[in-house]
């Protein structure tokens, strides 16, 4: 007989963060600008930098723990250059050549500490990963990514990667439940990617009926990971800066973004002009577009298909990332968290039936 879990599981849209009394300055005061002789610098009273010590690699990370997804259209070298200047991380997609990696590393040595090399779990994937890391020893992070992180083959692959690279920090996923988070951490992964089905160009829930509401997945998986000294990434489902803040509030150590960073100058994907308007193509890693592009190589990547969408060209990603970081800083001020580190401790979620007033949705420009 099928079992029904009657516990209520929630998505970002089901909650808001309750404001809390605090001694922190107000939102308008949370930015202090000052000019130096040669440049103008902005310092913020809310600190988004975090430092983590990784359980298995024994390495340390310091930076703002927001990440660009390892998708063709988002995890590009151009994205890494811009995001790196904000101390924000990029998981580089797995389709760059070794030559391209070498060139990037030579030209951008300072950005390397904010990037991961991605891999699938095939034999050829592991070979290529070895070659990339041999060619670019400055890479410190490996992102092992499969649609379904529940297979024994995947766990074994993570063990093999750990054996091969004892001091690299390994990200692995995707999963959505505590027991699998624990198994992956005990198999050598440091940071577990959490999210099945919430992505903006993902059709897993539609095609398979499988998934887990993202906010609850993050709360439960963070608890499991932190109990073992591991870390998690909330991957997918963020549609606005408020969702990113909710993911951190729920206990995510990192938040990974696809759609929110798509459609920019730095994003991959073809630019299309239609009726005088510019659009960029954004597609899931198992969409027909991705499969055609990487003929043969990606067919097994995602168990179910992803979509292809055209999004209006959004200019440089700098504006968007500032918007995201500004949003998180404001969330912190509303709950009295002087640092991102304190946000989850100070978060109380309230369940809601509506979160946004959409009356002017059609007339609103993004920024
Ligand atoms: P977003 O931020 O756009 O909501 O979600 C990004 C995440 O969606 C990625 O990091 C990845 O985990 C997931 N994703 C990307 N492409 C596909 C796909 O083709 N199918 C599925 N099921 N998930 C995808």
């Amino acid at each position: 007989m099928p079992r029904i879990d009657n516990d209520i599981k929630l998505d970002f849209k089901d909650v808001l963060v309750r404001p809390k009394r605090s001694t922190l300055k107000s939102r308008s005061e949370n930015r202090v600008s000052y000019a130096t002789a040669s440049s103008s610098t902005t310092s913020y009273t809310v600190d988004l930098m975090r430092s983590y010590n990784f359980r298995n690699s024994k390495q340390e990370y310091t930076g703002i723990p927001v990440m660009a997804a390892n998708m063709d259209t988002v995890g590009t070298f151009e994205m890494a250059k811009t995001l790196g200047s904000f101390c924000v991380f990029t998981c580089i997609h797995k389709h760059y050549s070794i030559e391209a990696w070498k060139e990037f590393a030579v030209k951008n040595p300072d950005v390397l500490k904010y990037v991961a090399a991605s891999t699938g779990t095939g034999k050829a994937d592991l070979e290529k990963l070895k070659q990339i890391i041999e060619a670019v020893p400055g890479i410190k992070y490996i992102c092992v990514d499969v649609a379904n992180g529940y297979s024994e083959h995947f766990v074994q692959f993570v063990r093999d990667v750990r054996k091969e690279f004892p001091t690299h920090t390994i990200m692995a996923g995707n999963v959505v439940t505590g027991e699998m988070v624990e198994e992956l951490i005990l198999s050598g992964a440091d940071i577990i990617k959490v999210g099945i089905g919430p992505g903006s160009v993902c059709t897993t829930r539609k095609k398979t009926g499988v998934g887990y509401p993202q906010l609850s997945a993050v709360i439960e998986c963070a608890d499991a990971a932190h109990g073992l000294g591991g870390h998690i990434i909330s991957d997918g489902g963020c549609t606005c800066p408020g969702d990113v803040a909710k993911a951190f509030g729920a206990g995510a150590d990192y938040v990974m973004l696809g759609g929110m960073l798509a459609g920019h100058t730095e994003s991959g994907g073809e630019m299309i002009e239609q009726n005088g308007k510019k659009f960029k193509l954004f597609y899931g890693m198992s969409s027909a577009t991705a499969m055609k592009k990487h003929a043969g190589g990606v067919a097994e990547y995602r168990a179910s298909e992803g979509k292809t969408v055209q999004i209006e060209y959004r200019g440089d990603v700098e504006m968007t990332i500032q918007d995201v970081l500004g949003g998180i800083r404001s969330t912190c001020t509303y709950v009295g968290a002087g640092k991102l580190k304190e946000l989850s401790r100070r978060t109380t979620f309230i369940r809601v039936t509506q979160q946004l007033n959409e009356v002017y949705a059609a007339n609103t420009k993004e920024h």
Side-chain angles (χ1 to χ4, degrees):
M1 222 175 41
R3 237 185 58 110
I4 296 183
D5 181 351
N6 275 313
D7 284 354
I8 289 172
K9 305 293 176 188
L10 302 169
D11 261 308
F12 298 131
K13 68 164 178 30
D14 300 318
V15 300
L16 286 168
V17 176
R18 192 169 78 181
K20 287 206 169 106
R21 200 169 146 256
S22 90
T23 52
L24 283 185
K25 288 179 183 169
S26 77
R27 184 169 56 160
S28 58
E29 291 168 60
N30 96 22
R31 178 193 312 221
V32 189
S33 291
Y34 56 89
T36 59
S38 57
S39 68
S40 142
T41 317
T42 307
S43 75
Y44 298 92
T45 53
V46 172
D47 181 8
L48 296 185
M49 296 289 273
R50 296 238 32 199
S51 286
Y52 299 126
N53 290 306
F54 298 116
R55 179 189 195 269
N56 295 318
S57 69
K58 308 291 179 210
Q59 304 295 312
E60 194 190 298
Y61 171 80
T62 300
I64 295 183
V66 171
M67 297 182 153
N70 52 303
M71 302 169 72
D72 286 20
T73 44
V74 180
T76 63
F77 286 138
E78 293 76 19
M79 186 67 75
K81 273 189 248 175
T82 304
L83 296 190
S85 70
F86 287 89
C87 306
V88 167
F89 203 91
T90 301
C91 290
I92 303 289
H93 69 68
K94 69 173 191 175
H95 301 293
Y96 280 115
S97 68
I98 291 147
E99 286 315 308
W101 262 105
K102 274 193 202 153
E103 197 186 322
F104 170 75
V106 169
K107 288 192 183 148
N108 304 282
D110 297 344
V111 182
L112 273 188
K113 60 176 181 279
Y114 296 120
V115 303
S118 304
T119 176
T121 57
K123 266 209 177 99
D125 287 320
L126 186 58
E127 264 325 298
K128 186 172 174 193
L129 179 69
K130 282 185 199 165
Q131 288 173 13
I132 290 173
I133 289 178
E134 206 178 290
V136 185
I139 297 172
K140 301 285 181 232
Y141 297 85
I142 296 167
C143 176
V144 187
D145 186 30
V146 290
N148 173 5
Y150 284 78
S151 77
E152 188 48 41
H153 168 73
F154 173 62
V155 176
Q156 187 53 47
F157 189 86
V158 170
R159 285 197 200 109
D160 294 345
V161 175
R162 171 50 71 215
K163 216 166 161 191
E164 188 77 34
F165 304 104
T167 57
H168 279 72
T169 299
I170 299 175
M171 309 165 177
N174 281 22
V175 299
V176 285
T177 49
E179 98 278 7
M180 210 56 205
V181 166
E182 286 167 0
E183 171 144 12
L184 289 170
I185 291 173
L186 296 173
S187 302
D190 296 288
I191 316 174
I192 309 304
K193 268 172 100 219
V194 174
I196 293 187
S200 58
V201 281
C202 158
T203 53
T204 298
R205 291 180 185 177
K206 200 167 174 183
K207 289 276 167 76
T208 68
V210 175
Y212 210 100
Q214 186 68 0
L215 186 92
S216 291
V218 169
I219 292 173
E220 294 166 26
C221 291
D223 189 50
H226 297 162
L228 286 174
H231 293 86
I232 67 152
I233 303 170
S234 172
D235 176 18
C238 286
T239 61
C240 56
D243 290 345
V244 183
K246 288 174 190 176
F248 281 122
D253 302 292
Y254 294 87
V255 180
M256 181 174 264
L257 306 176
M260 281 180 70
L261 300 177
H264 295 92
T265 318
E266 292 86 346
S267 319
E270 217 178 302
M271 179 86 92
I272 299 160
E273 288 216 38
Q274 254 171 19
N275 306 325
K277 266 194 178 162
K278 285 182 177 167
F279 295 88
K280 271 200 141 181
L281 221 52
F282 175 46
Y283 52 87
M285 296 301 287
S286 70
S287 62
T289 312
M291 300 226 197
K292 251 184 248 152
K293 196 161 172 208
H294 310 292
V298 189
E300 87 291 1
Y301 181 84
R302 294 278 172 193
S304 78
E305 300 231 332
K307 310 186 237 204
T308 301
V309 294
Q310 264 188 31
I311 41 185
E312 215 174 306
Y313 173 57
R314 298 163 72 191
D316 296 347
V317 79
E318 181 175 340
M319 274 278 272
T320 300
I321 200 69
Q322 277 181 346
D323 198 42
V324 172
L325 302 184
I328 309 167
R329 284 195 184 95
S330 282
T331 315
C332 289
T333 352
Y334 271 115
V335 300
K339 297 178 177 154
L340 180 58
K341 189 177 180 188
E342 295 161 16
L343 179 57
S344 75
R345 236 178 290 148
R346 296 195 59 96
T347 295
T348 303
F349 289 117
I350 33 182
R351 285 186 62 196
V352 295
T353 52
Q354 183 192 354
Q355 64 156 338
L356 304 175
N357 182 339
E358 303 279 12
V359 70
Y360 291 125
N363 321 44
T364 312
K365 282 210 155 168
E366 229 175 273
H367 294 290

